[in-house]
Every structure is written in structure tokens, then in C-alpha cells.
Amino acid sequence: MIRTSAVLDEVADMNWLNWSNNAQQQPRWGHRTMRFGRTKQRGDPMQARIDCLVGAGTTVTGDLTFAGGLRIDGHVEGDVIVSPAIPGTLVIGDGGSVAGDVRVSHLIVFGRVLGTVYASGLVDLRISAHVDGDVHYGAIEIEKGAVVEGHLVKHKTAGAIQ
């Protein structure tokens, strides 16, 4: 039996998925409650707010570097890279797309990625997600209906037995 309450609690807790510019929200550190009551420990925060938005109907041509939280509802033709000094979360909205490589701390995809994904932390592929390229990840969640046309490559942790 699937505990839907755990899923609903997680969705209710993830208010950062909805575009909000609430400056009082803070990044969450440490444990993250995943589906079915599991928790995941990680060293960098999942960005709790969106600092920048590429709106629907907008096309950005060229590489895009950001810090904090970025939501793409439009189209980016180029690489999307998080600043090396500050971990960041990229959310690609339902109508959003990136045609290039993605190098971020955390990634949540509702839309489309045409390129290789490199995420040091969590990659969350939602039901409408489509990734046409390899996905390198620290942790991954894939909803039924999400599509990955490429390889899934788990990062090896430091000191792990080969």
C-alpha cells in the first residue's frame, strides 16, 4: 500500500516549486524528507526561493551562470551553470527548455533538457520531464512518466570502495 500522505506532506513542504519571491524563505539544510518518509542527508542546501526567472516566451541565447535559485519557464540555448562559490537549485518549468549542458547543485525538471546534466546533489524528474542526454547525479528521483534518453551515472562518493 502506498502512503499518499507522505507524498502530500512533501508536496506541501516544497512551496519553493511555485514561483515565489518571498525574501523570508531560507534554504533548508541537512535532512530532506523524501517520498515514503525517507530522509536524505546532504551538505549543501536545497534553495528554498527563486532569485531569478526566465519567463515564458523568453529566449536566452548563450551560457547562463547563476547563484541561488533559478526557474526557467522560457528557453535557454546554451549551458546553464551554477556559480562555483554558492550552491544553487535550477527548476525547469513545464514549458521551459534548455538546449545545452546543465551544471548545478540541485535540479528539478518539469520541462525539457537537450544536453548532459551534471548535478552534485538531487536530480528530481517530474512526470512531464524529458531529458535527451546523460544524467550525472548525487541522488535522483524519477516520477512515472518522466523520460531520460541517455545514461544515468551515479557520482561516486569520496572514499567509497570501488
Side-chain angles (χ1 to χ4, degrees):
M1 177 180 220
I2 297 176
R3 288 184 39 215
T4 56
S5 63
V7 175
L8 294 176
D9 289 343
E10 179 183 334
V11 171
D13 190 43
M14 296 166 117
N15 60 2
W16 50 269
L17 287 177
N18 298 321
W19 163 227
S20 164
N21 195 15
N22 185 351
Q24 295 175 346
Q25 293 177 338
Q26 297 295 321
R28 293 184 291 161
W29 291 84
H31 292 286
R32 176 177 184 265
T33 303
M34 297 173 65
R35 292 198 173 116
F36 308 112
R38 297 175 295 161
T39 59
K40 175 120 185 108
Q41 178 72 30
R42 60 175 184 272
D44 58 344
M46 176 74 80
Q47 185 66 27
R49 69 172 205 228
I50 302 298
D51 298 314
C52 186
L53 170 70
V54 176
T58 303
T59 299
V60 176
T61 303
D63 295 348
L64 181 60
T65 302
F66 73 98
L70 170 64
R71 181 177 176 101
I72 298 174
D73 287 328
H75 304 286
V76 176
E77 297 172 1
D79 296 346
V80 178
I81 304 164
V82 71
S83 168
I86 303 170
T89 300
L90 172 63
V91 178
I92 300 175
D94 217 12
S97 68
V98 174
D101 292 347
V102 174
R103 295 178 182 273
V104 296
S105 304
H106 306 289
L107 174 66
I108 299 147
V109 181
F110 293 90
R112 187 172 183 93
V113 177
L114 302 166
T116 304
V117 171
Y118 301 93
S120 58
L122 176 68
V123 174
D124 190 352
L125 303 177
R126 299 303 175 101
I127 191 168
S128 58
H130 188 111
V131 178
D132 191 3
D134 295 344
V135 178
H136 300 260
Y137 63 92
I140 193 164
E141 290 185 34
I142 304 174
E143 287 187 358
K144 182 179 179 180
V147 176
V148 176
E149 295 183 21
H151 296 94
L152 296 175
V153 181
K154 171 85 168 127
H155 290 300
K156 294 193 178 5
T157 57
I161 298 173
Q162 301 283 332

